[in-house]
Structure formats: structure tokens, C-alpha cells
Amino acid sequence: MTHSAPSTPAPADLRPHLTPPARAWLDQSLAEAAQGITPTTELRLAEAARRCGPPHADTVRILILQAAHPTPADLTRVYHRGTADERRAVLHALPHLVPGPEALPLIEDALRTNDTRLLTAALGPYAARHLSAHLWRHAILKCLFTGVPVSGVAQLATRAHGDAELARMLADFAAERTAAGRPVPEDLHHVLALTDPEAVPPHPVHEDGVPHGKES
């Protein structure tokens, strides 16, 4: 199953999907978060699933983090103190909260885990923008090794295009699997095709999904 980044609507868009008690809790949590990251804010992140229901919890956590305008240091503290769900919310929120590479240590930490949902969250737009080519290539191989669908990797086609080193690593990985009598993941063939320098380069895509040069 693909665990893609949750959509992040405005609070007004989310409220109709919540019960009245959940809406009141969300309003209070956002007002508290506007004062910055505090122990109360961290408690609200932990309560999100219980208060608003699991289907909305990821989005609620991201909204709370955005309302708090945290610094990279704040996000690092929340990430390392939090559960896997809270860590995932921090990773999903990074593109909206940290313009520079300061939060890359959080991406790198998530990529060292074997939690497939954290791996997926780590390879969102923030990693696409800031992760080094070396670490990004190894992250793609880890996706293939752990069964994380590469369809959840942000800017996959753009970053893989013409990457001869990634193509070499994929070919080596496929050869090792074949020699061991193990199947080669179908996603590997997909990524390998993307590395072809003769393929038409993809249009770089904004985080809102609109290709550069194709805005209306």
C-alpha cells in the first residue's frame, strides 16, 4: 500500500468532516499553537487521532505544526520526542515550514529506519529539493529493498532522469537479486527506465502539482 502525504486543507475545509467536539478541539489547538511549540502543543499532536479520528489525524497534526511556525530546532525536538505518527507529521510538514536544508538530519534519520511509512514521508518534496544525490540514490534502493512503492517518491522522474550512477546501482541490485534466485521488484524496472538520458526530460513540478512553465 502506498502511504502518500496527506492533503493539507485549510482548517475551514477540514471542519465539516469533524464532529462538533472535534471542531472545538481543533480550534482550541490551533489557537494554542499560534503561541509556538510548547508542551501543550506537543500534547495536542499526541491527541490528534483520539480527538479527530484516525482518518484526519495526519492532516490535523500538520495544521497544528503550521500554526505554530516552528523553527528547525523546534521540529527536531518534536520529531525525536514523538511517536512514529508525530514524526511522520513533522516530515510531511517540512516543505511548508523550512525553506532551507536545515532539517535534513530529520530526513536522514527517517531514511535509516525500516518503518515504511516514515520512509515514504521522508521522500516527499523536502527531500526532493535538498537531499544529496548520494543519499537520494541509496534511499531509492532502500525503497526497492523494503517494498516501499516508488510512486510515493516526490520528483522521482526529475531526479532520476539521466542519472548514470543510479542506473549502475539499480543494475547491480537487479543482478544480485537474480543471482540469489530472488525476484527483481517491478519498481526497479520503472526507475531504471527513468534514468535513460535519451528519454524526454520531465517538466519540473511545483509542490502544488503544477509543472513549471505550465501554470495557467
Side-chain angles (χ1 to χ4, degrees):
M1 180 189 304
T2 301
H3 299 286
S4 58
S7 60
T8 310
D13 297 325
L14 180 62
R15 287 191 186 97
H17 302 285
L18 302 177
T19 64
R23 288 197 295 269
W25 178 88
L26 176 61
D27 290 342
Q28 179 182 357
S29 298
L30 294 176
E32 292 168 346
Q35 306 303 312
I37 294 290
T38 67
T40 299
T41 309
E42 294 183 53
L43 176 62
R44 299 295 179 242
L45 294 171
E47 292 178 334
R50 179 168 61 86
R51 295 285 192 167
C52 298
H56 306 299
D58 281 350
T59 298
V60 167
R61 292 188 187 101
I62 295 171
L63 287 172
I64 291 172
L65 287 170
Q66 289 179 315
H69 299 290
T71 66
D74 291 330
L75 290 169
T76 298
R77 185 171 66 255
V78 170
Y79 177 91
H80 286 296
R81 289 180 178 176
T83 64
D85 287 339
E86 291 152 39
R87 290 183 176 197
R88 193 171 65 252
V90 169
L91 295 171
H92 283 317
L94 288 180
H96 310 287
L97 298 175
V98 185
E102 297 87 349
L104 272 176
L106 303 184
I107 299 293
E108 293 167 7
D109 180 85
L111 292 176
R112 286 191 291 268
T113 75
N114 289 318
D115 184 325
T116 57
R117 298 185 75 188
L118 276 181
L119 288 174
T120 301
L123 289 170
Y126 189 82
R129 191 163 61 210
H130 297 296
L131 196 63
S132 71
H134 174 77
L135 292 179
W136 188 84
R137 293 179 188 121
H138 282 276
I140 297 303
L141 286 179
K142 187 160 188 176
C143 286
L144 297 172
F145 183 78
T146 59
V148 171
V150 297
S151 58
V153 177
Q155 300 291 314
L156 174 66
T158 299
R159 290 207 59 165
H161 179 72
D163 190 334
E165 177 61 15
L166 178 59
R168 182 195 65 76
M169 293 168 68
L170 292 170
D172 288 348
F173 181 69
E176 291 171 5
R177 299 277 292 195
T178 301
R182 303 180 67 185
V184 176
E186 187 61 35
D187 272 357
L188 185 146
H189 301 294
H190 171 63
V191 180
L192 188 59
L194 294 176
T195 66
D196 183 357
E198 300 300 320
V200 177
H203 288 282
V205 177
H206 289 303
E207 288 171 14
D208 61 6
V210 178
H212 286 282
K214 289 184 177 280
E215 297 89 339
S216 57

